[in-house]
Amino acid sequence: MRSRLILWVLAIALLVALPPVMTAIGQTFYIDLVRRIMILAIAAVSLNLILGYGGLVSFGHAAYLGIGAYSVGILAFYGFTNGWLQWAVAIGASALVALAIGAVSIRTSGVYFIMITLAFTQMLYYLGISLEEFGGDDGMRLKAKSQFAGLIDLREPITFYYLALVLMLASVYLVYRIVNSRFGVVLRAAKSNEARTRAIGFPPYPYRLAAFVMAGAMCGLAGALYANHTNYIVPGLMSWQHSGDLMFMVILGGMASTAGPVLGAFAFIFTEEFLKVLLNWVAPIFGKRDWAEYWAILMGPVLVLSVIFFRRGLAGIFYKPDA
Amino acid sequence: MLEVRGLTKAFGALRACDGIDFEVREGETHAVIGPNGAGTTTFISQLAGNLLPDSGSVHFAGSDVTRLPAPQRARMGLARSFQITSVYPDFTALDNVALAVQARSGRTGFWKAARGDASLVEPAKQALQAVGLGERTHVFAANLSHGEQRQLEVAMALATEPRLLLLDEPMAGMGTEESQRMITLLSRLKQTKTIILVEHDMDAVFRLADRISVLVYGRVIATDTPERIRANTEVRKAYLGED
Ligand SMILES: Nc1ncnc2c1ncn2[C@@H]1O[C@H](COP(=O)(O)OP(=O)(O)OP(=O)(O)O)[C@@H](O)[C@H]1O
Ligand SMILES: [Mg+2]
């Protein structure tokens, strides 16, 4: 417990120190990169609530990133730039969609659950493509970043960075509290042994559905942040590949662990960036100019190896999983 | 307290339960015995709500529960243990039982840590003490011996403060010493609880039961006191393998 706390303090200190250090050495690219990672980490943390603790293998979690991002984009398009409003809509809309998808899909299990969550997300993906008014396939530019009347200015990259950091830590703490509460214990119990859980008097369905909605809402917030980060909203955000990326972050980092999804998000994106640089570096040797887009081909084996070598994910290196 | 009428459940052509009439009186320990495959687990599962019958009815404490889902029956006071050990292997013994206490309390919450909650932990410790696991509270269930896991099952069932305890072969797979300890535990429980006990261990059955029902091929062929069952020639023929 003590050593975990020290690790957390060290990691947070590192993240707090990053912007001034990177500014000083002129590497502001990294501020941007880490900010993106922290936003995706929120999405991964929310997925961990249902995937890691709830045992619900949702293969469509990127849907809520998309809903959150489109909520912000569409409101801004119509001139509603108030951040409180935008983010509340992003969270609310994601929660509602999660409620609808969850109500249907949680009645199934195993492969059916995976396929249904995937199918719903594909529907939303094609819905995004069909929205000609909002750019269709090409997506839409965010007209203006979310505005918080003098309180926070998201146009300031470093301010935005610290906001993302605070929200990421808040999401980690929130999920930590939830999974250790009475509610969370039932959620985990239903994953561990469903028959026993029913036999002592808990029907798993409402617990799972509630967790599914909370995870969707939290991921919707990540989507709102993501729209402000990229200034551009594309349907691709909801693609199945993106859902897969989020799942890998959770699995790579360590399912059902507090820090796992955050570690997974960092490891995943850093590896991705590293592979891109590597590919661009070796490409000229073979007389090619740009190979960066082939990073995914190398990512596959890296993920397979990491799952083989780190059974309990990266978090397992630091400590045992919670009981 | 429990009344079963014409309970029938078939798996394809096989009638695992075939028109069972059965009743349990308040306070008694009612044993259900039968040769392997007689249908006892199928019977218990229909009482607990894990399986729904093809026909027939189950009344518990005055209400018809025939089609009620298992969690609701549990909250009415029907608790079961499983023939094949069913605990949370990745939870400690204490957390296993605390969850059962929580089920009884009916309260939930999203913020306060359940593990430090005295209103859950204290009754859980008592239940573990009662089954003889007082020294093993912080051991993961996966690391308990088979006998201890069986005891944990009983502790979980007890912790829900049931009105009727359904025990499906609590002695299954136990050594002699462990069995003796379980019999001692159950003879203490039977003072205060109403129990349906499915068991192959005849020593345990004749020591614990107030009444015995004999199930053969999904039919109850006799229900009576232990002495009369022992003397019943039909039972001896069908079940104890004598002629
Ligand atoms: N889900 C099922 N599908 C098909 N057949 C089943 C199923 N469950 C039980 N059976 C069959 O029904 C019969 C009764 O099974 P049950 O498990 O109730 O027996 P039992 O009396 O508990 O046996 P034992 O004493 O060995 O535990 C057996 O022949 C069994 O093979
Ligand atoms: Mg059986």
Side-chain angles (χ1 to χ4, degrees):
Chain A
M1 193 64 224
R2 187 72 166 275
S3 58
R4 283 194 211 187
L5 211 61
I6 294 171
L7 283 172
W8 272 109
V9 170
L10 279 177
I12 293 169
L14 210 65
L15 289 172
V16 169
L18 185 116
V21 171
M22 289 302 158
T23 309
I25 61 173
Q27 296 284 350
T28 50
F29 161 77
Y30 285 102
I31 301 178
D32 228 52
L33 178 67
V34 172
R35 190 173 74 194
R36 179 161 77 94
I37 295 174
M38 293 192 298
I39 293 169
L40 289 175
I42 296 174
V45 166
S46 73
L47 178 59
N48 189 36
L49 174 62
I50 51 175
L51 174 62
Y53 293 103
L56 300 171
V57 186
S58 169
F59 197 176
H61 206 57
Y64 312 103
L65 269 181
I67 293 165
Y70 271 98
S71 299
V72 169
I74 291 172
L75 283 170
F77 180 84
Y78 288 113
F80 299 100
T81 54
N82 181 311
W84 299 109
L85 172 74
Q86 287 181 339
W87 294 18
V89 170
I91 292 170
S94 300
L96 274 179
V97 173
L99 180 64
I101 295 179
V104 176
S105 58
I106 294 171
R107 292 186 192 283
T108 67
S109 60
V111 175
Y112 298 101
F113 180 79
I114 299 174
M115 296 317 284
I116 288 182
T117 50
L118 174 63
F120 274 116
T121 305
Q122 286 298 94
M123 273 166 53
L124 290 168
Y125 170 67
Y126 287 113
L127 178 69
I129 287 178
S130 68
L131 292 175
E132 288 301 334
E133 207 174 348
F134 306 116
D137 212 354
D138 298 328
M140 69 194 295
R141 178 167 290 285
L142 182 63
K143 280 219 168 136
K145 284 197 198 284
S146 303
Q147 276 156 30
F148 293 92
L151 197 65
I152 306 162
D153 188 352
L154 295 182
R155 286 169 307 181
E156 273 301 322
I158 294 180
T159 308
F160 191 3
Y161 173 96
Y162 284 119
L163 178 68
L165 173 59
V166 167
L167 289 176
M168 178 188 79
L169 294 174
S171 70
V172 169
Y173 185 63
L174 183 66
V175 168
Y176 171 77
R177 292 302 299 234
I178 290 173
V179 299
N180 286 295
S181 70
R182 285 181 177 224
F183 169 83
V185 174
V186 177
L187 182 69
R188 287 154 57 195
K191 176 196 175 191
S192 173
N193 186 342
E194 178 157 350
R196 171 43 83 189
T197 306
R198 294 173 57 81
I200 57 177
F202 295 112
Y205 181 78
Y207 289 85
R208 288 178 173 154
L209 184 58
F212 199 82
V213 171
M214 288 189 262
M218 200 183 291
C219 193
L221 175 64
L225 288 164
Y226 205 80
N228 280 284
H229 172 82
T230 55
N231 285 317
Y232 215 89
I233 299 135
V234 288
L237 207 51
M238 298 183 276
S239 67
W240 66 266
Q241 289 94 332
H242 214 199
S243 292
D245 288 354
L246 292 177
M247 275 173 77
F248 258 121
M249 288 176 193
V250 174
I251 294 165
L252 181 65
M255 288 197 287
S257 68
T258 313
V262 173
L263 291 172
F266 273 87
F268 188 93
I269 305 289
F270 275 150
T271 309
E272 174 183 333
E273 292 302 318
F274 171 75
L275 291 177
K276 283 180 181 169
V277 170
L278 185 75
L279 282 166
N280 273 346
W281 185 69
V282 298
I285 301 173
F286 297 92
K288 300 284 194 305
R289 267 191 54 228
D290 187 5
W291 273 359
E293 60 183 306
Y294 298 120
W295 67 272
I297 296 173
L298 292 183
M299 193 65 159
V302 168
L303 290 172
V304 170
L305 287 176
S306 64
V307 169
I308 291 172
F309 284 108
F310 306 116
R311 268 287 165 75
R312 282 185 279 119
L314 298 171
I317 301 171
F318 297 105
Y319 48 72
K320 289 194 181 130
D322 289 335
Chain B
M1 139 166 288
L2 183 86
E3 201 176 311
V4 175
R5 287 283 162 258
L7 202 69
T8 300
K9 178 80 190 175
F11 298 111
L14 178 87
R15 292 198 160 201
C17 289
D18 193 358
I20 294 181
D21 293 324
F22 180 84
E23 64 172 35
V24 176
R25 299 178 194 139
E26 183 100 43
E28 78 171 333
T29 294
H30 195 137
V32 179
I33 63 173
N36 284 318
T40 49
T41 296
T42 308
F43 179 54
I44 293 286
S45 294
Q46 290 172 90
L47 300 186
N50 308 91
L51 270 180
L52 291 183
D54 298 334
S55 62
S57 69
V58 181
H59 283 79
F60 175 61
S63 49
D64 185 349
V65 300
T66 315
R67 308 253 140 218
L68 212 59
Q72 261 139 288
R73 293 192 209 194
R75 270 178 282 154
M76 287 177 71
L78 260 168
R80 79 169 289 182
S81 76
F82 290 87
Q83 179 175 355
I84 297 164
T85 306
S86 179
V87 295
Y88 302 109
D90 48 343
F91 286 23
T92 62
L94 187 63
D95 287 341
N96 268 275
V97 184
L99 193 64
V101 178
Q102 184 182 323
R104 174 73 207 166
S105 85
R107 290 205 352 261
T108 189
F110 295 90
W111 195 251
K112 228 178 87 189
R115 207 166 281 169
D117 191 333
S119 70
L120 301 180
V121 173
E122 289 312 316
K125 279 186 177 157
Q126 278 168 24
L128 284 169
Q129 204 85 50
V131 301
L133 287 175
E135 307 293 311
R136 306 285 277 162
T137 51
H138 292 292
V139 180
F140 284 102
N143 297 335
L144 294 173
S145 73
H146 176 74
E148 288 172 330
Q149 289 184 2
R150 303 299 300 166
Q151 289 168 292
L152 181 59
E153 281 248 350
V154 176
M156 291 176 78
L158 274 182
T160 62
E161 292 179 16
R163 302 175 60 183
L164 174 59
L165 206 50
L166 310 172
L167 301 176
D168 194 356
E169 299 193 29
M171 261 74 94
M174 280 188 168
T176 356
E177 197 181 316
E178 285 173 330
S179 291
Q180 289 310 317
R181 215 175 313 140
M182 182 61 83
I183 292 174
T184 313
L185 167 63
L186 294 181
S187 50
R188 196 147 33 85
L189 286 180
K190 78 178 260 85
Q191 313 291 331
T192 54
K193 301 279 175 200
T194 311
I195 300 173
I196 297 180
L197 173 69
V198 172
E199 190 47 68
H200 285 307
D201 181 334
M202 284 307 126
D203 177 35
V205 167
F206 284 104
R207 271 168 67 187
L208 294 167
D210 301 311
R211 285 199 300 163
I212 299 175
S213 288
V214 184
L215 206 63
V216 178
Y217 293 123
R219 288 170 194 266
V220 177
I221 61 165
T223 296
D224 223 322
T225 59
E227 302 76 46
R228 308 248 285 272
I229 288 291
R230 219 196 284 265
N232 186 317
T233 48
E234 199 182 344
V235 171
R236 297 181 83 101
K237 216 159 51 190
Y239 181 42
L240 302 172
E242 298 173 12
D243 20 20

